[in-house]
Amino acid sequence: MTAPLPHRAIAKANRKADFPTMAWHTLLLFFMGFALVTGLRFAFDHAKGGWRAALEPIMLQGDVVRWHVWASIALTGLVAGYIAFLVKARLAARWKVSKVMLKAPVKAARWQAINRAVYWLGLTTFVVAVLSGIWLYFLPFFGWLELVGYVHEITSWALVAYMLIHVIAQFVMGGIWQLLKIFIPRFDLLQAGAVMGVAGVSGALGFAALDWSATRDLVAAKADTAPLVDGKLDDAVWQNAQKQMVYTSHGWNVAGGETPIEVRAAVHGDRIYIATSWPDDTRSYMRLPLKKTAQGWVRMIGDDPRHTYDGADTIDYYEDKFAIAISPKQSPFGGGWHFGPDPLPGVKKPLQGRGYHFTDDGSVVDLWHWKASRTGATGQAEDSLFGPPVPYDPVKHEVRYPAGYASDKKDKDSGYQDNFAKGPHGWSVNWPSRSVTPKYLPRDLAKLQARLGTSQSPYESHGSEFNMGPDEIVPYSKALDDKIPVGTLIPALYWTKPMSGPAGDVAARGYWQNGRWTVEFSRKLDAPDAQDVAIKDGVYLWFAAFNHNQTRHSWHILPVRLRLPH
């Protein structure tokens, strides 16, 4: 028979934590912190200023959405493992709160009960954080994403508060040794620890499998005749094609930031057709118009000095846009979005301080970018990409560095053009001044204004694409300029022929009616050039809607997988 341990030996043993508990606490602290500093980054990206700016030093930069998902997978495994550990080691009593203990005359006993009550408070907070995260990630179709996002953020901070309360309660219960014992292991309960490890890995793999399986399929219909790319969806193939709803959030100029997007796809011959539709109260065509003042013409780049075109962040004088990102990779945004004010050290920082689009593995994310005024008039979407960062050139990139975001090559003088002279940096020659001299003036101002509509507000619907076509322009002359009244707005864009070259590979046409945009896209299935992604069975798609803003588009994390007909 083994002799009982003396009181001093028991006290010494109680100054140590079993190794599985110590390891679990260490991993939990790391991954909770990792989840917090990654989640804060894209929460701050959506926020309109505020207190989060003070937390900039602790936020991670880069591919934070993917890292946040990884942290969630790890935390799922840790919770599953700890539950298995408590069961195997028969330590459920660690969580039992007794009324007798709460009223015990001994201080240590009372605080032990209080500490267990704190456990339950932390568990409840953790469950709310998990459920809100599941809602945002897997169940966005329930809506209320902005509110649920706030709940998720608040519970994340509540967990930080819980950890502080937990430390205080432990200290009051047992003094400094009660805190230090988590760093001093005793090597027992190792069998239960092994069970915890197996259960933890299984839980993490289960979450990863759920994440993988949550990607929904968009099954393309096989069209007997090619649909007309006109944005009206009255072709026979669209009546029977599968509809997939994509729920996006974080968009600006939209109530709650949410934009549900309806998507359909079809194949005819060697071409893919993708139809998209989403709600938008106004038809916004006005992009950075030129305004006649008593001192001359100026660019209207944004009324709010915090959000201007020269800061790559205008939210008023801008056209509606829509983008489809295409990648063979399932990673969020194909690995093409890196958040933060300086995610690519050694080059010029992003103007808006929110990040860059680029890939860091040499891959390319194809981007079909429909722009209501710039490409809308010619029935196209600008074929663009997220790729490896371009070499930094201090002269060329004096104003703005694009990182890995670029348009495919465009033939000279094709497609939309800026209606003012530009310097070697790609901005107005007078930059940073807003003053410009137009290259072209309207041939018939009254006729142009009749087409564009009478509204001069960026927040109201406009009549037509805010540009000037080849039959509407004449070269600038002071004589004609003198006839134009002060206060007149004219487009800052013109075009003389459709976009040609690789940038013009994608046909697209938008149609707005009754508070809803519909845009149809079409391109060859095979990649027309090296900057494109071939449309194959299983390719992944992401969608983004821009409500008359430059970069504050809505977005979603889980992609849609395209399935082609056999």
Side-chain angles (χ1 to χ4, degrees):
M1 181 175 178
T2 304
L5 289 172
H7 178 75
R8 182 175 296 179
I10 295 174
K12 188 174 181 180
N14 285 337
R15 290 182 178 180
K16 298 180 180 181
D18 59 85
F19 180 75
T21 298
M22 186 191 78
W24 184 83
H25 274 80
T26 302
L27 292 172
L28 181 69
L29 185 63
F30 173 79
F31 283 109
M32 282 190 67
F34 193 61
L36 182 66
V37 296
T38 52
L40 270 175
R41 171 60 65 195
F42 52 89
F44 177 61
D45 179 76
H46 175 59
K48 296 176 172 63
W51 56 270
R52 295 178 186 85
L55 302 174
E56 176 62 51
I58 70 169
M59 299 183 201
L60 289 185
Q61 301 187 76
D63 196 359
V64 293
V65 174
R66 176 162 41 175
W67 300 341
H68 193 70
V69 173
W70 289 351
S72 301
I73 291 173
L75 288 171
T76 300
L78 286 169
V79 171
Y82 192 61
I83 292 172
F85 173 72
L86 292 177
V87 172
K88 177 63 178 177
R90 298 181 180 179
L91 294 175
R94 285 185 177 183
W95 287 74
K96 186 176 180 180
V97 180
S98 167
K99 290 183 179 180
V100 175
M101 290 180 65
L102 285 170
K103 297 178 180 179
V106 180
K107 177 183 175 182
R110 289 198 309 273
W111 273 97
Q112 187 177 47
I114 292 171
N115 196 50
R116 290 175 181 177
V118 170
Y119 290 168
W120 284 103
L121 177 64
L123 177 62
T124 302
T125 305
F126 185 81
V127 168
V128 174
V130 169
L131 292 178
S132 57
I134 289 173
W135 185 314
L136 293 169
Y137 191 65
F138 293 113
L139 308 171
F141 46 83
F142 282 150
W144 301 92
L145 299 182
E146 187 172 47
L147 175 61
V148 176
Y150 285 137
V151 170
H152 191 64
E153 184 178 4
I154 290 168
T155 52
S156 298
W157 284 113
L159 285 171
V160 174
Y162 158 74
M163 288 188 283
L164 294 175
I165 295 171
H166 178 55
V167 168
I168 293 170
Q170 289 282 330
F171 177 77
V172 174
M173 182 177 72
I176 190 65
W177 280 107
Q178 184 68 19
L179 297 179
L180 292 178
K181 76 177 191 178
I182 198 63
F183 303 106
I184 308 173
R186 67 175 190 270
F187 292 93
D188 59 358
L189 301 179
L190 296 182
Q191 187 178 23
V195 171
M196 177 170 68
V198 172
V201 171
S202 299
L205 291 176
F207 185 101
L210 178 63
D211 179 29
W212 185 268
S213 65
T215 298
R216 292 170 295 157
D217 289 340
L218 174 64
V219 180
K222 189 171 184 178
D224 295 327
T225 58
L228 181 64
V229 179
D230 59 3
K232 296 184 179 180
L233 302 189
D234 51 6
D235 305 274
V237 66
W238 298 130
Q239 311 314 309
N240 300 315
Q242 178 207 29
K243 297 179 184 178
Q244 188 65 268
M245 292 300 299
V246 179
Y247 295 86
T248 66
S249 59
H250 295 85
W252 280 35
N253 297 334
V254 178
E258 300 174 37
T259 301
I261 300 168
E262 182 183 282
V263 185
R264 287 176 260 194
V267 172
H268 179 264
D270 63 350
R271 296 189 72 88
I272 180 74
Y273 296 82
I274 298 178
T276 61
S277 182
W278 69 97
D280 188 338
D281 291 339
T282 57
R283 178 175 54 194
S284 302
Y285 285 121
M286 187 182 291
R287 180 187 181 272
L288 310 172
L290 304 183
K291 184 173 184 177
K292 178 76 174 287
T293 71
Q295 291 74 39
W297 293 92
V298 295
R299 297 178 301 137
M300 302 296 290
I301 63 173
D303 290 337
D304 186 338
R306 298 171 301 173
H307 300 286
T308 70
Y309 178 75
D310 286 356
D313 197 21
T314 187
I315 57 174
D316 41 31
Y317 291 100
Y318 222 73
E319 66 200 317
D320 290 332
K321 301 188 293 178
F322 193 87
I324 304 176
I326 307 167
S327 173
K329 296 168 55 180
Q330 193 178 9
S331 300
F333 324 116
W337 194 354
H338 299 257
F339 289 74
D342 191 17
L344 197 58
V347 301
K348 188 179 182 68
K349 295 180 181 179
L351 292 176
Q352 82 289 69
R354 297 173 50 229
Y356 278 136
H357 287 299
F358 66 89
T359 60
D360 53 14
D361 59 359
S363 64
V364 168
V365 179
D366 207 349
L367 186 72
W368 299 356
H369 206 170
W370 175 81
K371 305 168 183 180
S373 277
R374 281 175 286 175
T375 68
T378 57
Q380 296 171 293
E382 190 160 5
D383 198 354
S384 307
L385 75 149
F386 303 150
V390 298
Y392 180 64
D393 183 332
V395 175
K396 185 178 180 181
H397 303 135
E398 177 188 358
V399 181
R400 184 182 183 184
Y401 174 66
Y405 171 52
S407 170
D408 290 4
K409 188 176 180 180
K410 184 168 63 172
D411 290 341
K412 185 179 180 181
D413 297 329
S414 71
Y416 64 88
Q417 308 289 328
D418 287 313
N419 191 21
F420 49 83
K422 296 192 290 186
H425 44 51
W427 249 240
S428 162
V429 291
N430 297 326
W431 180 88
S433 170
R434 297 187 181 191
S435 299
V436 296
T437 299
K439 287 184 176 181
Y440 295 95
L441 293 174
R443 181 184 300 275
D444 186 329
L445 179 60
K447 187 176 180 180
L448 176 67
Q449 289 176 328
R451 177 174 71 80
L452 298 179
T454 58
S455 174
Q456 293 198 1
S457 169
Y459 302 103
E460 297 177 1
S461 288
H462 311 122
S464 183
E465 291 87 357
F466 218 83
N467 58 28
M468 295 186 290
D471 298 328
E472 297 177 307
I473 56 176
V474 293
Y476 176 85
S477 70
K478 188 175 185 307
L480 182 56
D481 190 355
D482 289 342
K483 296 178 182 179
I484 298 177
V486 169
T488 298
L489 295 183
I490 66 170
L493 301 166
Y494 71 92
W495 65 277
T496 57
K497 56 184 177 181
M499 190 158 40
S500 57
D505 290 336
V506 182
R509 182 72 73 178
Y511 182 72
W512 184 91
Q513 186 178 44
N514 299 328
R516 193 170 188 87
W517 272 114
T518 301
V519 181
E520 289 178 83
F521 298 81
S522 178
R523 198 205 74 182
K524 287 186 176 181
L525 290 164
D526 291 335
D529 58 78
Q531 295 175 310
D532 292 320
V533 171
I535 305 300
K536 297 181 179 180
D537 185 65
V539 76
Y540 296 99
L541 310 175
W542 290 264
F543 304 90
F546 301 69
N547 193 349
H548 70 86
N549 68 70
Q550 188 175 359
T551 58
R552 302 278 183 170
H553 56 80
S554 65
W555 50 273
H556 59 106
I557 300 175
L558 286 173
V560 172
R561 182 169 43 224
L562 181 64
R563 292 301 190 188
L564 300 181
H566 298 292

